[in-house]
Amino acid sequence: MKKLFLSSAFALLTLASCSNEGTAVNTVETMKTPQMENFDKAFKSLGDPQNRPTEEERKRNTSELSDRRKALLVPASKELILSTGVTEVELTRKTGGDMSQIIVWATQIYMQKSDEIRKNIKS
């Protein structure tokens, strides 16, 4: 009887531990803003068959994205930047409408917000 009780207590603690781990992971995902989620989706869409580099783009052998692929990221990038309170005018002034600069700026914002989320979860 004592062994049965100890076994079930151990099993209960194991299950509770696993469920807490899942909760922490879900919290990170639920703390992302809709703009961050859209930015994630845009980057993931680059792996879709229709969005992969073409043969011609591969031949150029550069590490930079093609204009076609950058154009897929710009709407979500702008949305993320504007969600921080930056105006459309300021966005245009700082980037000059350059797609690369918009994507880099949005990536910096995304990383900063991700770090803030991780710090909030740790505390």
Side-chain angles (χ1 to χ4, degrees):
M1 186 66 147
K2 194 174 186 182
K3 285 183 181 180
L4 180 61
F5 178 74
L6 288 174
S7 298
S8 55
F10 180 73
L12 184 64
L13 285 173
T14 303
L15 289 173
S17 173
C18 291
S19 69
N20 286 344
E21 185 177 306
T23 303
V25 169
N26 289 338
T27 304
V28 172
E29 293 303 313
T30 58
M31 291 181 76
K32 285 184 179 178
T33 64
Q35 294 84 6
M36 290 176 73
E37 290 174 5
N38 289 340
F39 191 71
D40 267 343
K41 288 177 188 175
F43 263 101
K44 289 176 184 173
S45 77
L46 292 178
D48 293 347
Q50 70 272 17
N51 298 334
R52 290 190 182 138
T54 62
E55 195 62 39
E56 182 182 314
E57 290 169 343
R58 279 190 221 120
K59 284 181 183 177
R60 289 188 201 139
N61 200 21
T62 65
S63 60
E64 189 172 332
L65 293 173
S66 66
D67 286 345
R68 177 184 68 85
R69 297 180 81 208
K70 287 178 191 176
L72 297 170
L73 300 176
V74 169
S77 298
K78 282 184 174 181
E79 182 184 6
L80 181 59
I81 294 168
L82 295 174
S83 74
T84 65
V86 173
T87 65
E88 188 79 42
V89 173
E90 187 178 359
L91 171 67
T92 304
R93 185 177 50 79
K94 284 190 174 182
T95 63
D98 180 29
M99 291 190 289
S100 295
Q101 288 183 15
I102 292 169
I103 294 167
V104 167
W105 189 4
T107 302
Q108 291 169 344
I109 292 169
Y110 182 87
M111 298 305 264
Q112 178 187 9
K113 287 186 174 208
S114 295
D115 287 344
E116 289 171 10
I117 290 171
R118 279 189 221 100
K119 286 177 186 174
N120 287 339
I121 289 175
K122 285 182 181 179
S123 59

